[in-house]
């Protein structure tokens, strides 16, 4: 068994660890991890490894972590009831060749009921069998690995902004507008009547963002001053402290809502100082909380159905411009990981890897 390990307190340091593949005991199954997507979202899991307990999903030796990924795996050995060998699933996986799980079968596949995962959010515990998964299509596997969890978040952001009546109260200003999460949210919002979208991005990604045709206006980070003052909502995916301060200062008390979604600019998190921010206190958007709310409102199947209905047109649209970069083995994974951590991947490209 091989694991890609990252040093928890020095995220640029990584190495390979090799060990004997575990033997599944009663009630356990061994998954063979096939491939997974790697974007800034996975770097955020590492940045908040302690704060969000992301290191706890796939434990590693002291001081090291396995950064969670989303991808496909196959049940290689099973000693668990109702879990057939050969079953292929989509879910939350370590960057490893294998994963030992304690599966409890359900209608869509199984959940990993391993004790060390019990206290972690349920949104990350499910493994969905390809043959019954409403999101699954054989010809979109790469896009599923890269964008499916991000799209789920974007669906929930679009839904929350509508639910809270924010679409009719000035523009929605989205930072890191070139990120996949921002693009998916803007794609959905652009289909809502009356929604006005402003994409904030770095100068180097501006042309790409404009070319997508989903934001009404694209503005570089240096040009915030050119935005018309008045009511607006910030959906902050960059997480750059100085940028957030600039937007809050620009709109002041007219800023209706400030939603903190991501930290693509992870090394600028603390920039911007400690002084009180003008306008509303930012609220943290945590997808699992909205999943809980909408599962109560619509039922879990109702939520999944709505998201998968919205997913397929998005998936088709993305296929028209997103280029995947395939890599296999430790060196390919290390190079891709370091490229993503430095923000070096062009926004129309994304890595799909296997160990
Ligand atoms: N709260 C939640 O529940 C939730 C759920 C899903 C995702 N998220 C978060 O949303 C964020 C976006 O994830 P993603 O996978 O969609 O990202 P992505 O597509 O990989 O984002 C790439 C973009 O992020 C910016 N960027 C990335 N790394 C950078 C760096 N080192 N320095 C400067 N800019 C950098 C650049 O955009 P610009 O030039 O446009 O800034 C780049 O084009 C992540 O932080 C993720 O964790 C949060």
């Amino acid at each position: 068994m091989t694991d890609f390990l990252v040093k928890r307190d020095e995220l640029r340091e990584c190495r390979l660890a090799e060990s004997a593949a575990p033997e599944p005991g009663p009630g356990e199954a061994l998954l063979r991890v096939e491939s997974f997507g790697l974007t800034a979202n996975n770097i955020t899991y590492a940045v908040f490894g302690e704060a969000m307990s992301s290191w706890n999903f796939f434990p590693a030796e002291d001081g090291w972590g396995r950064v969670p990924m989303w991808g496909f795996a196959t049940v290689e050995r099973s000693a668990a009831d109702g879990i057939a060998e050969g079953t292929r699933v989509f879910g939350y996986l370590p960057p490893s060749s294998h994963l030992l799980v304690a599966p409890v079968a359900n209608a869509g596949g199984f959940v990993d009921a391993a004790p060390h995962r019990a206290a972690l959010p349920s949104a990350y515990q499910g493994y969905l069998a390809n043959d019954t998964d409403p999101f699954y299509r054989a010809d979109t596997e790469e896009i599923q690995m890269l964008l499916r969890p991000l799209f789920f978040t974007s669906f929930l952001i679009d839904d929350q902004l509508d639910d809270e009546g924010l679409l009719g109260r000035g523009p929605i200003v989205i930072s890191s507008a070139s990120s996949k999460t921002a693009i998916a949210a803007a794609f959905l919002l652009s289909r809502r009547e009356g929604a006005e979208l402003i994409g904030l991005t770095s100068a180097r990604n501006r042309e790409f963002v404009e070319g997508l045709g989903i934001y009404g206006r694209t503005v570089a980070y240096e040009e915030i001053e050119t935005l018309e003052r008045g009511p607006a909502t910030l959906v902050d995916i960059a997480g750059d402290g100085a940028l957030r301060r600039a937007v809050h200062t620009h709109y002041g008390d007219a800023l209706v809502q400030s939603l903190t979604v991501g930290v693509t600019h992870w090394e600028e998190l603390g920039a911007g100082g400690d002084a009180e921010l003008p306008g509303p206190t930012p609220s943290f958007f945590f997808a699992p909380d909205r999943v809980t709310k909408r599962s109560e409102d619509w039922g879990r199947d109702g939520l999944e159905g709505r998201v998968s209905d919205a997913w397929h047109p998005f998936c088709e649209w993305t296929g028209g411009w997103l280029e995947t970069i395939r890599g296999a083995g430790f060196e390919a994974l290390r190079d891709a990981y370091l490229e993503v951590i430095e923000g070096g991947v062009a926004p129309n490209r994304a890595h799909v890897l296997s160990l």
Side-chain angles (χ1 to χ4, degrees):
M1 160 154 175
T2 51
D3 296 307
F4 179 79
L5 301 182
V6 166
K7 203 163 186 202
R8 290 190 190 196
D9 59 3
E10 179 41 71
L11 296 181
R12 288 181 171 88
E13 206 173 310
C14 45
R15 67 181 174 86
L16 195 70
E18 298 198 47
S19 56
E23 190 64 29
E28 292 181 333
L30 185 66
L31 306 185
R32 180 165 42 80
V33 178
E34 280 180 26
S35 42
F36 44 83
L38 172 57
T39 66
N41 184 40
N42 306 93
I43 306 302
T44 303
Y45 293 146
V47 170
F48 289 115
E50 320 288 345
M52 287 171 53
S53 307
S54 0
W55 296 131
N56 299 357
F57 281 93
F58 310 116
E61 57 196 81
D62 251 12
W64 296 80
R66 290 191 281 170
V67 181
M69 307 283 173
W70 290 93
F72 289 102
T74 299
V75 178
E76 193 171 271
R77 312 268 310 272
S78 176
D81 285 345
I83 308 296
E85 289 175 3
T87 304
R88 195 157 178 275
V89 294
F90 177 85
Y92 208 47
L93 297 165
S96 301
S97 60
H98 292 84
L99 172 68
L100 188 69
V101 290
V104 173
N106 59 24
F110 59 84
V111 293
D112 183 7
H116 71 273
R117 291 176 69 154
L120 299 165
S122 63
Y124 302 106
Q125 312 285 22
Y127 292 84
L128 294 140
N130 294 171
D131 50 5
T132 52
D133 179 358
F135 288 79
Y136 184 79
R137 277 190 198 159
D139 60 343
T140 62
E141 284 198 354
E142 290 183 336
I143 296 181
Q144 291 170 62
M145 288 185 269
L146 287 164
L147 301 185
R148 181 170 167 173
L150 308 176
F151 182 82
F152 214 110
T153 298
S154 305
F155 176 94
L156 296 166
I157 293 169
D158 167 71
D159 173 57
Q160 180 175 337
L161 295 177
D162 178 56
D163 193 30
E164 294 182 354
L166 294 165
L167 300 179
R169 300 180 67 190
I172 309 294
V173 180
I174 308 182
S175 69
S176 253
S178 70
S179 68
K180 313 293 181 287
T181 305
I183 291 170
F187 176 87
L188 295 170
L189 286 161
S190 69
R191 277 153 177 71
R192 289 198 186 263
E193 208 167 308
E196 188 190 339
L197 299 179
I198 296 175
L200 278 184
T201 187
S202 51
R204 64 177 174 147
N205 290 328
R206 185 189 172 142
E207 201 180 316
F208 165 79
V209 172
E210 256 164 4
L212 289 169
I214 48 178
Y215 296 95
R217 195 174 158 200
T218 305
V219 173
Y221 294 133
E222 298 74 23
E223 300 168 346
I224 288 169
E225 279 294 314
T226 66
L227 294 171
E228 196 182 325
R229 288 192 167 81
T233 291
L234 172 65
V235 175
D236 186 15
I237 295 180
D240 175 331
L243 173 67
R244 179 191 299 166
R245 177 166 296 281
V247 174
H248 274 247
T249 304
H250 183 76
Y251 287 106
D253 288 336
L255 194 64
V256 183
Q257 161 83 285
S258 175
L259 210 54
T260 301
V261 175
V263 274
T264 56
H265 299 202
W266 61 282
E267 289 183 293
E268 311 304 327
L269 191 57
D274 297 330
E276 203 180 319
L277 278 178
T281 305
S283 57
F284 182 66
F285 177 86
F286 188 52
D289 290 346
R290 285 296 296 184
V291 169
T292 304
K293 179 182 179 338
R294 283 314 200 190
S295 299
E296 282 163 15
D297 296 342
W298 302 332
R300 183 69 206 199
D301 286 349
L303 171 61
E304 293 278 346
R306 282 171 165 86
V307 182
S308 70
D309 285 350
W311 161 256
H312 293 294
F314 171 73
C315 205
E316 243 161 68
W317 175 73
T318 313
W321 56 265
L322 181 65
E323 189 189 321
T324 49
I325 316 162
R326 274 274 184 183
F330 170 70
E331 281 172 20
L333 176 48
R334 179 200 57 203
D335 292 352
Y337 170 76
L338 293 174
E339 192 184 11
V340 176
I341 221 171
E342 303 301 347
V345 185
N348 65 330
R349 310 184 83 207
H351 288 282
V352 171
L353 294 140
S354 52
L355 201 54

